[in-house]
Structures are given as structure tokens and as C-alpha cells.
Amino acid sequence: MKLSRYAFVFLMGFFLYAFIEVAGRGYTHWTMCITGGIVLAVIYTLSSRPATSLIRTCLLGTIAITAIEFAVGVFDNIIMGWQVWDYSDIPLNVLGQVCPLFSLLWFVLCIPAYFLCRKIARQLM
């Protein structure tokens, strides 16, 4: 049951992130869909712990998302040269792959993700 729960959460993150990105910038990349699935599974894991508050989940989620974004960015943009995104023009960026502005956005997106994951956990128990 646990594996099917994570598969469900992964697929939800896969499609929700793709929808958000297409709605926001008009396109997405397949690696970003996979990243969205992984990220929602991480937030699901964080939010499923009874003692984990919203703020703690958002902080840990932001750190995890930024780290995952950096790893995917290095692979997609630097190693493969796919140019999926480039934050080079945003202040305090790291290799053009992550920046504080988008980390703040990830914190904000963790809020609805937290409640979504808590609801999924209650429904699938």
C-alpha cells in the first residue's frame, strides 16, 4: 500500500507541476515533470510526520526543492546543455541554476502542497 501511495503522490506532483509551469510560462520540460513528482513525494514524506508543522515542512521542503532543482539544473542545463532554465540574470544565483527568489517561491508553493499531502494521507490511510 505504501508504494502505491507514493506512486499516486509522484504522479500527482508530476502532472500538477507540469500544469503550473505550462500555465505560468507556456511550456515545460519532461525532466521538470519528473522533478515535480519527486518534490511532492518529499513534501508528502515531510508532512506525513505527526509532529511536523506547516512552517517546518515549508522550510525543509524549500531546502529539499532547492537542492533537487540545483542537481537537475546541473544535469539538464550544464551537462546536457538543454537550457531548460537560466537564473543567471537574477541576483545571488548559483551557476544560474538556483536563486533566493525562486527558493522563496518554493517556500510559498510548499504551503498548498503541505495541505494537499495531509489530505492525501488522511484519504489513503
Side-chain angles (χ1 to χ4, degrees), residues 26-86:
Y27 63 94
T28 191
H29 189 265
W30 65 270
T31 58
M32 297 314 303
C33 298
I34 292 170
T35 303
I38 292 168
V39 163
L40 195 62
V42 167
I43 294 170
Y44 179 81
T45 301
L46 292 170
S47 67
S48 295
R49 299 171 188 223
T52 305
S53 68
L54 170 63
I55 296 299
R56 183 178 170 101
T57 298
C58 290
L59 287 172
L60 293 173
T62 298
I63 292 166
I65 293 167
T66 301
I68 293 166
E69 181 182 36
F70 183 76
V72 172
V74 167
F75 178 78
D76 283 4
N77 300 321
I78 296 173
I79 295 172
M80 299 304 293
W82 290 336
Q83 300 175 346
V84 178
W85 73 88
D86 184 1

Side-chain angles (χ1 to χ4, degrees), residues 2-3 6 8 18 49 82 91 94-95 101 114:
K2 194 169 191 170
L3 181 61
Y6 277 97
F8 176 77
R49 299 171 188 223
W82 290 336
V94 178
L95 299 176
L101 176 63
Y114 171 85

